[in-house]
Amino acid sequence: MNTKHILVGTDFSQGSYVALDVAVDIANRLNANIELIWVCKEKNLFSDEQTKSIRNLAMEKLHSLADQHGKRLLRTAIEPMILDGKVAAVIAKEAERVNASMIVIGTNGASGFEKYWMGSTAVRIVQEASCPTLSIREGFNYHKNLERIVAPLNMTENSRQKLPVVANIAKIFGSTVHLLGLAEQQSEVPTIDIYLRQAENFLREAGVEYQSERMLTKNLSAEILEYASGISADLIVITTEQENLLSTLFIGTHAQQIIHHSLIPVLSSHPRDIGSLAR
């Protein structure tokens, strides 16, 4: 059986510590090892001696975090590591190298060791990663059980492709899935209703509890965030859409807005990455 891996990016800020806390809980449920990664990005700004000192300090902090949080792991371990280069690129490359099940990052780390983990960096990691990326805002109550998962469905071709990931997470955590069908105009309502019925059938066959609701809205991202807040959701799962069919470098604006603004953890994946959590 292949060893599963979860990658956690840290800048030693409170937000990244919350991400590590959540990753430990997920690792226990997936029986996965954690790679705790700090990226050395600005080495050209310092002398060799200064760079060495910074790296040594970072590694000390990484080992301290690994020792502290590793005690909570039941069967696996935390491996501290330092990588060099651009944050999103090197984390995405490492995720591909180890065939990672998930990347977990904090999205509000401006006050930390280095200002790497703002929402824009989270979006770049989502864009480049070959596995789902879980972005978590500082202040999230990670002690709360993952009871409610929001799975939005709209008219885009790939919207329903998130359902295997949603079902897998719901079974692991015993969660209820809240299907949210979103139509932007009245003519889309019949199609959205069909998508909802298909999703309900899929979850029913998977043995997952669900509720479903359909809404007519002009602002998909705002409606998703408002709905998730209203039901006290613990996770939003989105499939990122490519707005430019000639490029795989940019995810849709709705996905970006959700990642930037959600106070609830967001699990983002490209349609090509849907099978990652089942590996």
Side-chain angles (χ1 to χ4, degrees):
M1 182 176 179
N2 294 331
T3 302
K4 294 182 179 179
H5 296 270
I6 295 174
L7 272 55
V8 180
T10 185
D11 61 351
F12 309 115
S13 68
Q14 190 60 42
S16 65
Y17 296 158
V18 172
L20 179 55
D21 279 316
V22 174
V24 168
D25 187 34
I26 296 172
N28 278 329
R29 295 173 186 268
L30 294 181
N31 197 28
N33 288 320
I34 292 175
E35 289 189 9
L36 181 60
I37 299 171
W38 177 74
V39 179
C40 185
K41 179 183 177 184
E42 307 292 354
K43 59 183 180 180
N44 292 333
L45 298 180
F46 304 100
S47 66
D48 290 344
E49 183 176 348
Q50 289 173 321
T51 298
K52 182 179 179 180
S53 177
I54 290 171
R55 292 175 71 91
N56 288 340
L57 176 60
M59 186 55 78
E60 288 179 10
K61 289 176 175 286
L62 289 172
H63 277 291
S64 176
L65 287 170
D67 291 342
Q68 176 186 348
H69 293 271
K71 297 174 183 177
R72 292 173 48 216
L73 287 171
L74 303 179
R75 296 170 297 276
T76 54
I78 299 177
E79 179 185 0
M81 64 173 58
I82 295 176
L83 301 177
D84 296 283
K86 295 182 179 179
V87 176
V90 298
I91 288 184
K93 183 177 180 180
E94 178 64 13
E96 184 174 6
R97 185 186 74 81
V98 301
N99 199 22
S101 297
M102 182 186 297
I103 298 169
V104 183
I105 55 172
T107 59
N108 194 22
S111 62
F113 191 81
E114 293 196 21
K115 299 180 181 180
Y116 286 163
W117 304 103
M118 297 302 287
S120 58
T121 300
V123 168
R124 288 196 295 272
I125 292 173
V126 170
Q127 289 168 351
E128 300 191 31
S130 59
C131 64
T133 299
L134 180 63
S135 53
I136 302 169
R137 184 68 63 119
E138 180 177 347
F140 171 68
N141 179 14
Y142 60 87
H143 295 296
K144 186 178 184 294
N145 290 332
L146 203 166
E147 298 174 351
R148 288 175 283 275
I149 300 173
V150 174
L153 301 174
N154 58 21
M155 291 290 292
T156 55
E157 180 180 354
N158 299 317
S159 177
R160 289 164 292 168
Q161 293 188 26
K162 68 173 70 71
L163 289 173
V165 169
V166 171
N168 195 23
I169 295 174
K171 287 191 286 187
I172 290 171
F173 288 90
S175 314
T176 297
V177 174
H178 292 256
L179 297 167
L180 179 62
L182 295 168
E184 294 185 88
Q185 50 192 359
Q186 190 63 40
S187 61
E188 296 177 353
V189 168
T191 301
I192 292 297
D193 286 343
I194 292 173
Y195 288 176
L196 281 173
R197 287 196 295 271
Q198 291 173 342
E200 290 169 357
N201 290 336
F202 181 89
L203 294 178
R204 189 182 304 114
E205 291 176 4
V208 173
E209 292 188 9
Y210 66 87
Q211 297 181 20
S212 63
E213 186 170 351
R214 187 246 298 151
M215 296 181 178
L216 191 64
T217 180
K218 293 297 184 181
N219 191 327
L220 295 179
S221 56
E223 194 69 64
I224 291 167
L225 293 175
E226 183 177 348
Y227 176 82
S229 176
I231 67 167
S232 299
D234 305 295
L235 179 68
I236 301 170
V237 181
I238 61 173
T239 306
T240 60
E241 309 292 344
Q242 304 298 333
E243 293 198 329
N244 181 351
L245 297 179
L246 299 178
S247 173
T248 60
L249 296 179
F250 300 98
I251 64 175
T253 54
H254 292 302
Q256 292 188 49
Q257 290 171 10
I258 291 170
I259 294 168
H260 277 304
H261 299 298
S262 179
L263 300 178
I264 299 164
V266 178
L267 183 66
S268 311
S269 63
H270 304 297
R272 66 176 184 270
D273 308 329
I274 277 308
S276 298
L277 282 173
R279 288 199 281 256

